[in-house]
Amino acid sequence: MQEWANQLCENRQFGSKMTDSKYFTTTKKGEIFELKAELNSDKKEKKKEAVKKVIASMTVGKDVSALFPDVVNCMQTDNLELKKLVYLYLMNYAKSQPDMAIMAVNTFVKDCEDLNPLIRALAVRTMGCIRVDKITEYLCEPLRKCLKDEDPYVRKTAAVCVAKLHDINAQLVEDQGFLDTLKDLISDSNPMVVANAVAALSEIAESHPNSNLLDLNPQTINKLLTALNECTEWGQIFILDCLANYSPRDDRESQSICERVTPRLSHANSAVVLSAVKVLMKFMEMLPKDLDYYGTLLKKLAPPLVTLLSAEPELQYVALRNINLIVQRRPEILKHEMKVFFVKYNDPIYVKLEKLDIMIRLASQANIAQVLAELKEYATEVDVDFVRKAVRAIGRCAIKVEQSAERCVSTLLDLIQTKVNYVVQEAIVVIKDIFRKYPNKYESVIATLCEHLESLDEPEARAAMIWIVGEYAERIDNADELLESFLEGFHDESTQVQLQLLTAIVKLFLKKPTETQELVQQVLSLATQDSDNPDLRDRGYIYWRLLSTDPVAAKEVVLAEKPLISEETDLIEPTLLEELICHIGTLASVYHKPPSAFVEGSRGVQHKRLTSSAGSGESVESPDTGSAAVSEAPPAVIPSQGDLLGDLLNLDLTPPTSTGPPPSAAPGMQLGAMDLLGGGLDSLLGGDIGGSPAMGAAFGAPPAAMPASFNAPISGGLDDLFDLGGGGMTMGTYIPPKTVWLPAMKAKGLEISGTFVRRSGVIQMEMTLNNKAMSVMSDFAIQFNRNSFGLAPAGPLQILTPISPNQSIEAALPLSTVGPVMKMEPLNNLQVAVKNNIDVFYFSCQYPISMLFLEDGKMERQVFLATWKDIPNENESQFQIKDCHLNSDAASNKLQGSNIFTIAKRTVEGQDMLYQSMKLTNGIWVLAELRVQAGNPNYTISLKCRAPEVSQCVFQNYETVLKN
Amino acid sequence: MIHSLFLINSSGDIFLEKHWKSVVSRSVCDYFFEAQERATEPENVPPVIPTPHHYLISVLRHRIYFVAVIQSEVPPLFVIEFLHRVVDTFQDYFGVCTEAAIKDNVVVVYELLEEMLDNGFPLATESNILKELIKPPTILRTMVNTITGSTNVGEQLPTGQLSVVPWRRTGVKYTNNEAYFDVVEEIDAIIDKSGYGSEQTRSTITAEIQGVIDACVKLTGMPDLTLSFMNPRLLDDVSFHPCVRFKRWEAERILSFIPPDGNFRLLSYHVSSQNLVAIPVYVKHNISFREGSSQGRFDLTLGPKQTMGKSVEAVLVSSQLPRGVLTANLNPSQGTYTFDPVTKMLTWDVGKINPQKLPSLKGTMSLQAGASKPDENPSINIQLKIQQMAISGLKVNRLDMYGEKYKPFKGIKYMTKAGKFQVRT
């Protein structure tokens, strides 16, 4: 009765109420002390109230762990509420008091035998939440009983308990055979038990990627589909997500699964709906497109997706991120639903931005008028981010739907007239893209743009405007004045603007050379002499040289026609898109990143791919059902601003012919005077290598010395140590003999032969230069064309003395792998330019790919297994190596010298299987299985790699290494 | 699965935390607070926030953020739906879902959360099952419990937990057997400021109807109901309560179900075809500012449009005026208006629209001295109600009961409301 009185008392903190808030009151004496006394009270009621107070403190994050023994003492009770409360407390604090927690074990064991299934279930539930290692083994027996309990409520609770236990001690769960029991529960008669078993298995499988825990076959699928109709909404989500991992055998099975999943689209729970959409999107790939059912299914998918958009904003957001994927994969589903993506002004900003994105994806000639009217409306809203994106969207529409370009441009001009600063700037940025897409069409608007020059304060807008002025300098009367005005604050501009300004002024000079000489001088000296930015300086030098040597060539290079930008922007790369479609509804789909990219703890990565119907035997037109859709025109992407600059730079730099080595400018140069040659080439080849005398004072400071080797010498040293310890010194790297790369006949008497070696992690190009001409050769420099693995000289070519006639000299050039990359054919082809005082010569050679195998290319066994399984079978290629008389150990030793590491060896029926791995400098892993049969000189090798192009090269390398 | 839950109030205090697996330090919420700071409005906090080791998925309801912490790949919708269920349950138990109510009932809240999720897996989320496990607090029960020493935790396994109809408990008894259905439709629409400049050609940009049928069924035993419509074809995009037999709907377009006991949402539907969506009111407006003047004109008139003879009631007009507006001096022909000079929100409580005497609100707005003409065009939001009509024209044909002998009392009500109904200016 005292308690009763207590409750009626004033409660200081929350006002007087007969509520739980009383549990928060504290007295001066010390809360813990008082609670302790109450917990040990004889009165049941008082005890219960005390436990409630303890729980209340716990919920707000107060530490009440000191009361552990007192609370656990209250556990032995027949009062269910008190029991539950004590359990709540136990779950929270057992971990911090492991020794005390053992006191609770007995009660659990006893409760698991209780007559009341609620108590049995409660006990098994709580048990699993006590994350104390010592206790877990005591819990196995009770858990085993509960998994076979007669009451399904207990069984379904026990199923979840297995997952909990697995999280604490995975080994124990496996040893005790709980996983098998759990698998058996998939066939349980009660749908709720099935659902929980699936949920538990899915969770366990996440940390065990290759365990085949959810080994789905048509029988289990059937059971899951039956349970799907009867279990709770949450169970449905687990089952649907599990179904999505199944690969149906043929299109008929896929259709029958789709048919049974479709009713879920009408579920009130949006998570069920989205999981169902995932299953349907995936299995649809298997259906022949001419099937009536295929069309029906497409139609059925639209309404539930639209309905998701009328839900709460948080749900809308997730739905929109997923719809973004669906629209990219199958635009036909929502092509008539444009209006539901129109933005309401009180949508949260994150919903607005997503809707806008999808609107652009759905924009087509049919609806463009409507879309534009909307976008224009959005551009007058209050939220700055949203307005900017809306303006950009208008530009994207113009680029995507050609027929609308004119209307888009006029809309943008209207917006510029509003003179709202950020609107104007965005508009100018997108107009630049429109110019690039439709050259010589809308230049009439330039005058309007120029009026707003002063108001531009953002680098991107300034850079865009400068680009426009430079590109159309001939049509803008006062282009020089405009650019000059930018030049005043050159050093305060961002790099982006500086680079653009430099290029624009050079363009202007080439177009109007007479009036702008001074301007170009000014910008070149600003860029080369007063700037600390290497990009800017290099570009400045290049232009300077070009202009001073051959203005005609400069014109060809700088004013070259630019490639058009393509229409769709920021599309997700097709393979990633496929993978994401398999993960609809997950975090991966919200972030548009593969699941492996961010979820912690998913050690093994399961890349999921859409399986098309190509494999199904009887479908006649199978080749173009799924696979055709997959390979639909690979979308190109508008380069972002940074890329665009890169492009301009590259346009300026790369020799116009990317396949054949000699740049078109070369012949002209050969005819020209000697010093012009030297200078011109230096800028192209040896800007930071040569230090040729011809460079003169204009170029100021001597080039900074390059570090001797880019491949960290430290790691090389470590490797040496390893080699010593491991006794691996026996077999060194195989070094191919030198071959003649450049015959004297082709190079005015210079003969170059050479080879490649890898020593302690450093790649070197070793050359013999032989002077077969009559005169002395000097001033050597070397440069590589872009190549597959970014090989580039890591320092200048060290030939210090001139080579006299008939003299030969050895030179070693350390290489780095951080140069620009371009795929070559064959992959290991390298195009080299060598210059000396006579001329420039070009040759190409091939390096053994083992140069690129890293010293740390030994994979963990587990990782090897997972990766091997993970790489799709299409990526596997098999080769034969004939006439090789090594045994497997010798072969393994030999290969190790070239950084091909044997991870495991297995002998099956007299055949040795070597599992090997190697890692390329660009991070690509190659996995190999080498089969050697005693007495058989023919080896079989299977290579698996995510980039299957390298397989051929790797195979050749195997052959050369093994045979030498 | 769901690892932990934090409840955070509008001033940024964590006032409740619950962990279903190991304890996650509440410092993880710092990432949420960062995002909250970046967001201009409370509702702009992004619902999914990544942190180095966890993901935070949150919903904002009743000015409380419910922040779930997850560690592995979990469908975000699953988490959001679950959080909604938590909110609904609190509301169901305590009448309101406020910080005060949650604090007042913290132990019940804790027991509920423990019952709803086990190791992150949903356990019991149906309100009828929860109510059997944990009885909702009432003043009377608290008194009785304290006197008799009994508890508010059920001792028996809830009957619905494993039955084929988990949503219904057995042994339901009523003296008055009744079943009421409310057909409620909300119109979501965006009305253009007039496509081509003239007031008469005001065009509808989008219009759709979100409809629900909410039921209150108090019937004895295990009744089996069927509900049929005059025009079931309207319903081509529907979401059902799990009790509805989907096959029967597919085949015959009849709703056949064993209802849960008490209040529940039988189905929700969506009518998107624009020609089926009638727009019940029109708005004539002229909100304008002149360059160089600190005065602006405000002129708004409402009138009924397609109402099928029913009257439009409880009309409430609100508009977010441009930031530069200092005061509004207006004159309503009926009802009252308020203008909040801080939020710039203008609200006009119109009441009923009389077609003979159209309500209007006219007057002037004054700008801050020296402020330039505002760029933005304020949108007008309209709320309204029309009784006795579902604007899509949906009509129930008949309701039958099988499986029980008694005669129930049946009732159907219709109502149309404005949902997100916006007029651009």
Side-chain angles (χ1 to χ4, degrees), chain B residues 36-77:
Chain B
Q36 198 183 7
E37 244 165 64
R38 273 197 299 274
T40 44
E41 304 281 327
E43 51 271 15
N44 282 347
V45 180
V48 187
I49 300 169
T51 81
H53 301 288
H54 302 90
Y55 282 81
L56 305 179
I57 299 183
S58 61
V59 302
L60 174 64
R61 289 290 172 281
H62 309 286
R63 303 175 59 210
I64 300 171
Y65 291 102
F66 292 74
V67 184
V69 181
I70 60 172
Q71 201 159 27
S72 54
E73 176 66 88
V74 180
L77 280 187

Short mmCIF file of all heavy atoms in Angstrom, two decimals, chain B residues 36-77:
data_model
loop_
_atom_site.label_atom_id
_atom_site.label_comp_id
_atom_site.label_asym_id
_atom_site.label_seq_id
_atom_site.Cartn_x
_atom_site.Cartn_y
_atom_site.Cartn_z
N GLN B 36 21.69 16.14 -39.32
CA GLN B 36 20.58 16.98 -38.89
C GLN B 36 20.98 18.46 -38.98
O GLN B 36 20.18 19.30 -39.37
CB GLN B 36 20.22 16.62 -37.45
CG GLN B 36 18.86 17.08 -37.01
CD GLN B 36 18.63 16.73 -35.56
OE1 GLN B 36 19.53 16.26 -34.86
NE2 GLN B 36 17.42 16.95 -35.10
N GLU B 37 22.21 18.73 -38.63
CA GLU B 37 22.67 20.11 -38.70
C GLU B 37 22.72 20.62 -40.13
O GLU B 37 22.40 21.77 -40.41
CB GLU B 37 24.07 20.20 -38.10
CG GLU B 37 24.14 21.04 -36.86
CD GLU B 37 25.45 20.80 -36.14
OE1 GLU B 37 26.49 21.12 -36.73
OE2 GLU B 37 25.40 20.27 -35.01
N ARG B 38 23.14 19.72 -41.02
CA ARG B 38 23.25 20.13 -42.42
C ARG B 38 21.88 20.39 -43.05
O ARG B 38 21.74 21.22 -43.93
CB ARG B 38 23.97 19.05 -43.23
CG ARG B 38 25.48 19.20 -43.21
CD ARG B 38 26.07 18.37 -44.32
NE ARG B 38 25.77 16.96 -44.17
CZ ARG B 38 26.52 16.14 -43.42
NH1 ARG B 38 27.58 16.57 -42.81
NH2 ARG B 38 26.19 14.86 -43.33
N ALA B 39 20.89 19.65 -42.57
CA ALA B 39 19.56 19.78 -43.17
C ALA B 39 18.93 21.10 -42.72
O ALA B 39 19.02 21.47 -41.56
CB ALA B 39 18.68 18.61 -42.76
N THR B 40 18.30 21.77 -43.67
CA THR B 40 17.72 23.06 -43.32
C THR B 40 16.46 22.88 -42.49
O THR B 40 16.20 23.64 -41.58
CB THR B 40 17.41 23.84 -44.59
OG1 THR B 40 16.79 22.94 -45.52
CG2 THR B 40 18.66 24.43 -45.20
N GLU B 41 15.67 21.88 -42.83
CA GLU B 41 14.42 21.64 -42.12
C GLU B 41 14.52 20.27 -41.46
O GLU B 41 15.23 19.40 -41.95
CB GLU B 41 13.25 21.59 -43.11
CG GLU B 41 13.10 22.81 -43.98
CD GLU B 41 12.44 23.94 -43.24
OE1 GLU B 41 11.59 23.63 -42.39
OE2 GLU B 41 12.78 25.09 -43.50
N PRO B 42 13.77 20.08 -40.34
CA PRO B 42 13.86 18.77 -39.67
C PRO B 42 13.52 17.62 -40.63
O PRO B 42 14.09 16.55 -40.53
CB PRO B 42 12.84 18.86 -38.54
CG PRO B 42 12.51 20.29 -38.40
CD PRO B 42 12.91 21.02 -39.63
N GLU B 43 12.56 17.86 -41.54
CA GLU B 43 12.14 16.73 -42.38
C GLU B 43 13.10 16.46 -43.54
O GLU B 43 12.91 15.52 -44.29
CB GLU B 43 10.71 16.92 -42.91
CG GLU B 43 10.42 18.22 -43.57
CD GLU B 43 9.95 19.26 -42.57
OE1 GLU B 43 10.13 19.04 -41.36
OE2 GLU B 43 9.40 20.28 -42.99
N ASN B 44 14.14 17.30 -43.65
CA ASN B 44 15.09 17.08 -44.74
C ASN B 44 16.27 16.19 -44.36
O ASN B 44 17.18 16.01 -45.16
CB ASN B 44 15.63 18.42 -45.26
CG ASN B 44 14.62 19.11 -46.16
OD1 ASN B 44 13.65 18.48 -46.57
ND2 ASN B 44 14.83 20.37 -46.45
N VAL B 45 16.26 15.65 -43.15
CA VAL B 45 17.35 14.74 -42.78
C VAL B 45 17.22 13.48 -43.62
O VAL B 45 16.16 12.87 -43.64
CB VAL B 45 17.26 14.37 -41.28
CG1 VAL B 45 18.38 13.42 -40.91
CG2 VAL B 45 17.32 15.61 -40.43
N PRO B 46 18.29 13.10 -44.33
CA PRO B 46 18.15 11.93 -45.20
C PRO B 46 17.84 10.67 -44.41
O PRO B 46 18.38 10.49 -43.32
CB PRO B 46 19.53 11.82 -45.88
CG PRO B 46 20.43 12.71 -45.13
CD PRO B 46 19.60 13.73 -44.42
N PRO B 47 16.98 9.81 -44.92
CA PRO B 47 16.55 8.65 -44.15
C PRO B 47 17.62 7.57 -43.99
O PRO B 47 17.51 6.76 -43.09
CB PRO B 47 15.36 8.10 -44.93
CG PRO B 47 15.40 8.72 -46.26
CD PRO B 47 16.21 9.96 -46.17
N VAL B 48 18.61 7.53 -44.85
CA VAL B 48 19.66 6.53 -44.69
C VAL B 48 20.99 7.27 -44.58
O VAL B 48 21.34 8.04 -45.46
CB VAL B 48 19.71 5.56 -45.89
CG1 VAL B 48 20.69 4.44 -45.61
CG2 VAL B 48 18.34 5.01 -46.20
N ILE B 49 21.69 7.04 -43.49
CA ILE B 49 22.96 7.73 -43.28
C ILE B 49 24.04 6.68 -43.05
O ILE B 49 23.92 5.85 -42.15
CB ILE B 49 22.89 8.65 -42.04
CG1 ILE B 49 21.80 9.70 -42.24
CG2 ILE B 49 24.23 9.32 -41.79
CD1 ILE B 49 21.48 10.46 -40.98
N PRO B 50 25.09 6.70 -43.84
CA PRO B 50 26.17 5.74 -43.61
C PRO B 50 27.16 6.27 -42.58
O PRO B 50 27.43 7.46 -42.53
CB PRO B 50 26.84 5.63 -44.99
CG PRO B 50 26.55 6.94 -45.66
CD PRO B 50 25.31 7.52 -45.04
N THR B 51 27.66 5.40 -41.73
CA THR B 51 28.74 5.74 -40.82
C THR B 51 29.81 4.67 -41.04
O THR B 51 29.56 3.68 -41.71
CB THR B 51 28.27 5.72 -39.36
OG1 THR B 51 28.27 4.36 -38.90
CG2 THR B 51 26.90 6.32 -39.17
N PRO B 52 31.00 4.85 -40.50
CA PRO B 52 32.06 3.87 -40.81
C PRO B 52 31.69 2.42 -40.52
O PRO B 52 32.09 1.54 -41.24
CB PRO B 52 33.21 4.34 -39.92
CG PRO B 52 32.97 5.78 -39.70
CD PRO B 52 31.49 5.96 -39.69
N HIS B 53 30.94 2.16 -39.47
CA HIS B 53 30.67 0.76 -39.14
C HIS B 53 29.20 0.40 -39.16
O HIS B 53 28.85 -0.76 -39.05
CB HIS B 53 31.24 0.43 -37.76
CG HIS B 53 32.71 0.66 -37.67
ND1 HIS B 53 33.62 -0.14 -38.29
CD2 HIS B 53 33.42 1.64 -37.06
CE1 HIS B 53 34.84 0.32 -38.07
NE2 HIS B 53 34.75 1.41 -37.33
N HIS B 54 28.35 1.38 -39.26
CA HIS B 54 26.92 1.09 -39.19
C HIS B 54 26.18 1.92 -40.24
O HIS B 54 26.74 2.83 -40.84
CB HIS B 54 26.35 1.46 -37.82
CG HIS B 54 27.01 0.75 -36.69
ND1 HIS B 54 28.09 1.26 -36.04
CD2 HIS B 54 26.74 -0.43 -36.12
CE1 HIS B 54 28.47 0.42 -35.09
NE2 HIS B 54 27.67 -0.63 -35.12
N TYR B 55 24.93 1.60 -40.39
CA TYR B 55 24.04 2.47 -41.15
C TYR B 55 22.93 2.92 -40.23
O TYR B 55 22.47 2.15 -39.39
CB TYR B 55 23.46 1.72 -42.35
CG TYR B 55 24.46 1.63 -43.47
CD1 TYR B 55 25.44 0.66 -43.45
CD2 TYR B 55 24.46 2.56 -44.49
CE1 TYR B 55 26.40 0.61 -44.44
CE2 TYR B 55 25.40 2.51 -45.48
CZ TYR B 55 26.38 1.54 -45.45
OH TYR B 55 27.32 1.51 -46.43
N LEU B 56 22.54 4.17 -40.37
CA LEU B 56 21.45 4.70 -39.56
C LEU B 56 20.26 4.92 -40.47
O LEU B 56 20.36 5.62 -41.49
CB LEU B 56 21.85 6.03 -38.93
CG LEU B 56 23.14 6.02 -38.11
CD1 LEU B 56 23.43 7.42 -37.58
CD2 LEU B 56 23.03 5.04 -36.96
N ILE B 57 19.16 4.29 -40.14
CA ILE B 57 17.95 4.49 -40.93
C ILE B 57 16.92 5.12 -40.00
O ILE B 57 16.66 4.60 -38.92
CB ILE B 57 17.44 3.14 -41.49
CG1 ILE B 57 18.51 2.56 -42.40
CG2 ILE B 57 16.13 3.33 -42.23
CD1 ILE B 57 18.14 1.29 -43.07
N SER B 58 16.37 6.26 -40.43
CA SER B 58 15.51 6.97 -39.50
C SER B 58 14.20 7.38 -40.13
O SER B 58 14.10 7.53 -41.35
CB SER B 58 16.24 8.22 -39.01
OG SER B 58 16.51 9.07 -40.10
N VAL B 59 13.20 7.52 -39.30
CA VAL B 59 11.96 8.16 -39.73
C VAL B 59 11.64 9.26 -38.72
O VAL B 59 12.05 9.17 -37.56
CB VAL B 59 10.77 7.17 -39.82
CG1 VAL B 59 11.08 6.05 -40.78
CG2 VAL B 59 10.41 6.62 -38.46
N LEU B 60 10.94 10.26 -39.20
CA LEU B 60 10.54 11.35 -38.32
C LEU B 60 9.03 11.29 -38.18
O LEU B 60 8.30 11.45 -39.15
CB LEU B 60 10.95 12.69 -38.94
CG LEU B 60 10.49 13.96 -38.24
CD1 LEU B 60 11.10 14.06 -36.86
CD2 LEU B 60 10.84 15.18 -39.06
N ARG B 61 8.56 10.99 -36.99
CA ARG B 61 7.12 10.94 -36.74
C ARG B 61 6.81 11.67 -35.45
O ARG B 61 7.51 11.44 -34.44
CB ARG B 61 6.63 9.49 -36.61
CG ARG B 61 6.63 8.70 -37.89
CD ARG B 61 5.57 9.17 -38.88
NE ARG B 61 5.76 8.50 -40.14
CZ ARG B 61 6.67 8.84 -41.04
NH1 ARG B 61 7.44 9.88 -40.84
NH2 ARG B 61 6.80 8.16 -42.16
N HIS B 62 5.77 12.46 -35.45
CA HIS B 62 5.35 13.19 -34.26
C HIS B 62 6.54 13.93 -33.63
O HIS B 62 6.72 13.92 -32.42
CB HIS B 62 4.73 12.24 -33.24
CG HIS B 62 3.66 11.36 -33.82
ND1 HIS B 62 2.41 11.83 -34.14
CD2 HIS B 62 3.68 10.06 -34.18
CE1 HIS B 62 1.70 10.84 -34.66
NE2 HIS B 62 2.44 9.77 -34.69
N ARG B 63 7.36 14.50 -34.46
CA ARG B 63 8.53 15.26 -34.05
C ARG B 63 9.53 14.46 -33.23
O ARG B 63 10.29 14.98 -32.44
CB ARG B 63 8.10 16.54 -33.31
CG ARG B 63 7.19 17.38 -34.22
CD ARG B 63 6.63 18.59 -33.55
NE ARG B 63 7.67 19.46 -33.09
CZ ARG B 63 7.54 20.24 -32.03
NH1 ARG B 63 6.44 20.21 -31.32
NH2 ARG B 63 8.51 21.04 -31.68
N ILE B 64 9.49 13.14 -33.42
CA ILE B 64 10.51 12.30 -32.79
C ILE B 64 11.23 11.56 -33.92
O ILE B 64 10.59 11.04 -34.83
CB ILE B 64 9.88 11.25 -31.85
CG1 ILE B 64 9.10 11.94 -30.75
CG2 ILE B 64 10.94 10.31 -31.29
CD1 ILE B 64 8.27 10.98 -29.92
N TYR B 65 12.56 11.54 -33.86
CA TYR B 65 13.30 10.72 -34.82
C TYR B 65 13.45 9.31 -34.25
O TYR B 65 13.92 9.15 -33.13
CB TYR B 65 14.69 11.28 -35.07
CG TYR B 65 14.72 12.58 -35.81
CD1 TYR B 65 14.92 13.78 -35.15
CD2 TYR B 65 14.56 12.61 -37.20
CE1 TYR B 65 14.95 14.98 -35.83
CE2 TYR B 65 14.59 13.80 -37.89
CZ TYR B 65 14.79 14.99 -37.20
OH TYR B 65 14.82 16.16 -37.89
N PHE B 66 13.03 8.33 -35.01
CA PHE B 66 13.25 6.94 -34.64
C PHE B 66 14.44 6.48 -35.47
O PHE B 66 14.32 6.32 -36.68
CB PHE B 66 12.02 6.09 -34.96
CG PHE B 66 10.84 6.40 -34.10
CD1 PHE B 66 10.10 7.56 -34.28
CD2 PHE B 66 10.47 5.53 -33.08
CE1 PHE B 66 9.02 7.85 -33.47
CE2 PHE B 66 9.38 5.81 -32.27
CZ PHE B 66 8.66 6.98 -32.46
N VAL B 67 15.57 6.30 -34.82
CA VAL B 67 16.80 5.99 -35.56
C VAL B 67 17.18 4.53 -35.31
O VAL B 67 17.49 4.15 -34.18
CB VAL B 67 17.95 6.90 -35.12
CG1 VAL B 67 19.19 6.63 -35.95
CG2 VAL B 67 17.55 8.35 -35.23
N ALA B 68 17.13 3.72 -36.36
CA ALA B 68 17.54 2.33 -36.24
C ALA B 68 18.99 2.20 -36.68
O ALA B 68 19.42 2.84 -37.62
CB ALA B 68 16.65 1.44 -37.10
N VAL B 69 19.73 1.37 -35.96
CA VAL B 69 21.13 1.15 -36.30
C VAL B 69 21.25 -0.25 -36.89
O VAL B 69 20.75 -1.21 -36.30
CB VAL B 69 22.02 1.23 -35.04
CG1 VAL B 69 23.48 1.02 -35.40
CG2 VAL B 69 21.82 2.56 -34.36
N ILE B 70 21.85 -0.36 -38.05
CA ILE B 70 22.05 -1.69 -38.62
C ILE B 70 23.51 -1.85 -39.00
O ILE B 70 24.21 -0.88 -39.27
CB ILE B 70 21.14 -1.95 -39.83
CG1 ILE B 70 21.41 -0.94 -40.92
CG2 ILE B 70 19.70 -1.95 -39.43
CD1 ILE B 70 20.69 -1.24 -42.18
N GLN B 71 23.93 -3.10 -39.05
CA GLN B 71 25.34 -3.35 -39.26
C GLN B 71 25.57 -4.14 -40.55
O GLN B 71 26.62 -4.03 -41.17
CB GLN B 71 25.89 -4.13 -38.09
CG GLN B 71 27.39 -4.01 -37.95
CD GLN B 71 27.84 -4.34 -36.56
OE1 GLN B 71 27.20 -5.11 -35.85
NE2 GLN B 71 28.96 -3.79 -36.15
N SER B 72 24.60 -4.93 -40.94
CA SER B 72 24.80 -5.73 -42.15
C SER B 72 23.77 -5.30 -43.19
O SER B 72 22.95 -4.44 -42.95
CB SER B 72 24.64 -7.20 -41.82
OG SER B 72 23.39 -7.41 -41.21
N GLU B 73 23.86 -5.92 -44.34
CA GLU B 73 22.94 -5.59 -45.43
C GLU B 73 21.51 -5.97 -45.05
O GLU B 73 21.19 -7.14 -44.89
CB GLU B 73 23.39 -6.36 -46.68
CG GLU B 73 22.50 -6.21 -47.88
CD GLU B 73 22.51 -4.80 -48.43
OE1 GLU B 73 23.36 -4.47 -49.27
OE2 GLU B 73 21.61 -4.04 -48.02
N VAL B 74 20.67 -4.97 -44.88
CA VAL B 74 19.28 -5.20 -44.51
C VAL B 74 18.45 -4.34 -45.46
O VAL B 74 18.83 -3.21 -45.75
CB VAL B 74 19.01 -4.73 -43.07
CG1 VAL B 74 17.58 -4.97 -42.69
CG2 VAL B 74 19.93 -5.41 -42.10
N PRO B 75 17.33 -4.86 -45.96
CA PRO B 75 16.52 -3.99 -46.82
C PRO B 75 16.06 -2.75 -46.05
O PRO B 75 15.41 -2.88 -45.01
CB PRO B 75 15.32 -4.87 -47.19
CG PRO B 75 15.76 -6.25 -46.93
CD PRO B 75 16.80 -6.20 -45.86
N PRO B 76 16.39 -1.55 -46.51
CA PRO B 76 16.02 -0.34 -45.76
C PRO B 76 14.50 -0.19 -45.59
O PRO B 76 14.04 0.29 -44.57
CB PRO B 76 16.57 0.80 -46.61
CG PRO B 76 17.52 0.19 -47.55
CD PRO B 76 17.19 -1.24 -47.70
N LEU B 77 13.76 -0.65 -46.60
CA LEU B 77 12.30 -0.53 -46.48
C LEU B 77 11.77 -1.37 -45.32
O LEU B 77 10.83 -1.00 -44.64
CB LEU B 77 11.61 -0.98 -47.77
CG LEU B 77 11.59 0.02 -48.91
CD1 LEU B 77 10.72 -0.51 -50.03
CD2 LEU B 77 11.06 1.35 -48.44
#
